[in-house]
Amino acid sequence: MTYRIFAEAGAAASVGAGRKPVCGDEHVCHELVRSELLGTVGPGPAGGDWREQLERVLTAYTAMLFEHPTLARSALTARPSGPHYLNLIETLPALLDEGGVPPAQAAWGVDLLLQHATATAAEHVEEVSEEDWDALRRTLTGMSDRTHPRIAALGGALLAGAPKERLSWAFRALIAGIERTAAPDRPRGDTA
């Protein structure tokens, strides 16, 4: 079964609108739709160094989840295995390998990068009102330096930056950490 079949049956519209899916099992339906949508992510355009290419692929994955908020939230607990997901998993360590990242770090790094991308999209499933943002800004910028010196010092910087800038910075910070942080020594095949 593919996304096209479900689209014809109305399942994709049901899932996207937050209604009960036509395909019967909501988790199965989400996974089938998400698997097909992952085909739109692709390996990313050539050009730039491996870090830039990696960031573009991760940004495309995050953007795909932003476009389908119901899928973003379900992706937090899903264990996808479709061909498009496997292509994404193949692309990420290949780019890390291009940068000389050791295999164990790349393997663990893929998980971390996808967790961040997925959690970022899922966090923004529900829009936060401007009034709520304003209240949070007032709280953070109005903190006493006696009781909360770090928050008072950072103030508005805690919320500064456009979402795209923050996402880009987060991916670059994670990539730099993956590049420099050795994975613990573990026996091969140990998944405990």
Side-chain angles (χ1 to χ4, degrees), residues 1 6 9-12 14-15 20-33:
M1 299 173 118
F6 283 106
S14 296
V15 172
K20 185 176 173 130
V22 174
C23 63
D25 184 327
E26 183 176 6
H27 298 293
V28 171
C29 188
H30 280 183
E31 181 49 38
L32 290 168
V33 173

Side-chain angles (χ1 to χ4, degrees), residues 9 14 25 37 61 71 74 81 89 98 106 108 111 120 130 147 170 176 180-181 192:
S14 296
D25 184 327
L37 288 170
Y61 170 71
L71 297 177
S74 71
S81 59
I89 298 301
E98 189 177 317
W108 284 29
D111 185 46
T120 297
E130 197 56 41
T147 58
R180 292 175 182 81
T181 308

Side-chain angles (χ1 to χ4, degrees), residues 126-139 159:
E126 295 178 21
E127 288 293 319
V128 176
S129 72
E130 197 56 41
E131 294 82 26
D132 287 344
W133 279 115
D134 288 342
L136 180 58
R137 283 185 199 98
R138 283 191 304 276
T139 298
L159 299 175

Side-chain angles (χ1 to χ4, degrees), residues 80-114:
S81 59
H84 297 302
Y85 179 75
L86 295 175
N87 289 341
L88 176 63
I89 298 301
E90 182 68 20
T91 298
L92 300 179
L95 289 168
L96 290 164
D97 181 61
E98 189 177 317
V101 176
Q105 287 166 229
W108 284 29
V110 165
D111 185 46
L112 184 60
L113 291 166
L114 290 176

Side-chain angles (χ1 to χ4, degrees), residues 15 24 40 88 93 122 140 143:
V15 172
T40 66
L88 176 63
L140 293 176
M143 281 292 174

